[in-house]
């Protein structure tokens, strides 16, 4: 049950975030006496939005939190006319809280976006290193086609993994079919594959 709920929350992250924010507003409005002390609760969904969704969505989430809090205070004063008007201290508390909430959203979102950019550049560098290694292997042994060399290496890896003979041969066959695309241009490859299998 908990796993399904977690999967649903991650799949529908933005919707889950809005539900958490609305739940926080309702809880703070009806169950908490010191409402200004619990405004810091809204830093949690803003930090989550910044980390998972980026800077723009985090700032939008912070703006939603601020608007909901302001609308709550305006609505509660209009509906319950017995409540006193907000003092200057309360207004300053909300304004400074709102400023720090937006600042937190922007900073966390920017850090998360930089992390994503670094991760993508690292993946590109890894792919580049693999391509260089592949080119090196191709140059090192030009007498055999690449698929034959890959089949040899795959067979060695499968044998080191202690697979049975049938699985090893299947892996070798799959590696040999790597360049099997066009039949006419690869007839010499099939001759070499047959020699290799013998």
């Amino acid at each position: 049950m908990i796993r399904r709920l977690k999967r649903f929350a991650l799949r529908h992250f933005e919707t889950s975030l809005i539900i958490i924010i609305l739940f926080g507003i309702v809880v703070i409005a009806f169950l908490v006496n010191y409402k200004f002390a619990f405004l810091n609760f809204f830093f949690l969904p803003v930090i989550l939005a910044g980390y998972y969704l980026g800077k723009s969505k985090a700032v939008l989430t912070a703006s939603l939190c601020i608007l909901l809090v302001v609308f709550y205070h305006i609505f509660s004063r209009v509906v319950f006319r017995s409540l006193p008007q907000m003092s200057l201290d309360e207004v300053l508390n909300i304004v400074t809280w709102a400023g720090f909430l937006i600042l937190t959203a922007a900073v966390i979102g920017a850090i998360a976006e930089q992390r994503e950019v670094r991760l993508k550049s690292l993946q590109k560098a890894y792919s580049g290193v693999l391509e260089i290694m592949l080119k090196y292997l191709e140059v090192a042994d030009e007498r055999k086609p690449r698929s034959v060399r890959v089949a040899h290496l795959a067979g060695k890896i499968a044998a080191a993994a202690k697979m049975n003979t049938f699985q090893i041969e299947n892996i070798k066959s799959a590696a040999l079919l790597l360049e099997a695309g066009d039949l006419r241009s690869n007839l010499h490859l099939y001759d070499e594959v047959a020699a290799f299998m013998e």
Side-chain angles (χ1 to χ4, degrees):
M1 176 68 180
I2 294 174
R3 287 181 187 168
R4 273 189 271 160
L5 188 63
K6 187 188 286 186
R7 268 186 269 143
F8 177 80
L10 288 175
R11 207 174 317 129
H12 305 286
F13 188 75
E14 293 175 3
T15 308
S16 304
L17 204 59
I18 291 173
I19 290 170
I20 289 171
I21 292 169
L22 292 176
F23 179 73
I25 286 283
V26 169
V27 167
I28 290 172
F30 293 112
L31 300 178
V32 176
N33 288 332
Y34 303 104
K35 296 178 184 357
F36 286 108
F38 278 88
L39 287 179
N40 291 332
F41 161 79
F42 294 104
F43 280 97
L44 295 175
V46 165
I47 289 171
L48 286 173
Y51 186 77
Y52 288 109
L53 301 176
K55 185 165 74 171
S56 61
K57 298 276 179 133
V59 171
L60 285 174
T61 304
S63 302
L64 174 68
C65 293
I66 293 165
L67 285 174
L68 287 174
V69 168
V70 168
F71 283 149
Y72 164 74
H73 281 289
I74 292 171
F75 182 74
S76 63
R77 300 275 183 306
V78 169
V79 171
F80 305 111
R81 296 190 187 273
S82 61
L83 289 175
Q85 291 298 320
M86 290 179 69
S87 68
L88 184 61
D89 285 341
E90 291 175 338
V91 171
L92 284 176
N93 278 339
I94 289 179
V95 168
T96 55
W97 166 79
F100 280 113
L101 194 68
I102 288 179
L103 183 66
T104 301
V107 168
I108 296 292
I111 290 171
E113 287 175 358
Q114 287 175 355
R115 179 182 54 86
E116 286 292 323
V117 167
R118 275 192 231 125
L119 189 63
K120 285 179 183 174
S121 68
L122 186 65
Q123 287 173 339
K124 285 181 184 176
Y126 178 71
S127 297
V129 167
L130 288 179
E131 286 179 21
I132 290 170
M133 288 178 60
L134 181 64
K135 293 294 181 192
Y136 174 74
L137 289 173
E138 285 178 359
V139 169
D141 187 9
E142 291 184 357
R143 292 174 299 172
K144 298 177 187 173
R146 181 173 48 158
S147 58
V148 174
R149 292 191 308 266
V150 170
H152 273 294
L153 292 174
K156 288 180 182 178
I157 292 170
K162 298 187 178 167
M163 296 181 170
N164 64 35
T165 307
F166 181 72
Q167 290 173 325
I168 292 172
E169 293 304 318
N170 278 344
I171 290 172
K172 283 181 178 179
S173 299
L176 287 171
L177 293 175
L178 175 72
E179 295 178 348
D182 183 21
L183 290 176
R184 287 185 183 164
S185 64
N186 290 323
L187 285 177
H188 72 283
L189 172 68
Y190 295 118
D191 293 335
E192 293 181 21
V193 167
F196 170 73
M197 293 303 273
E198 290 174 2

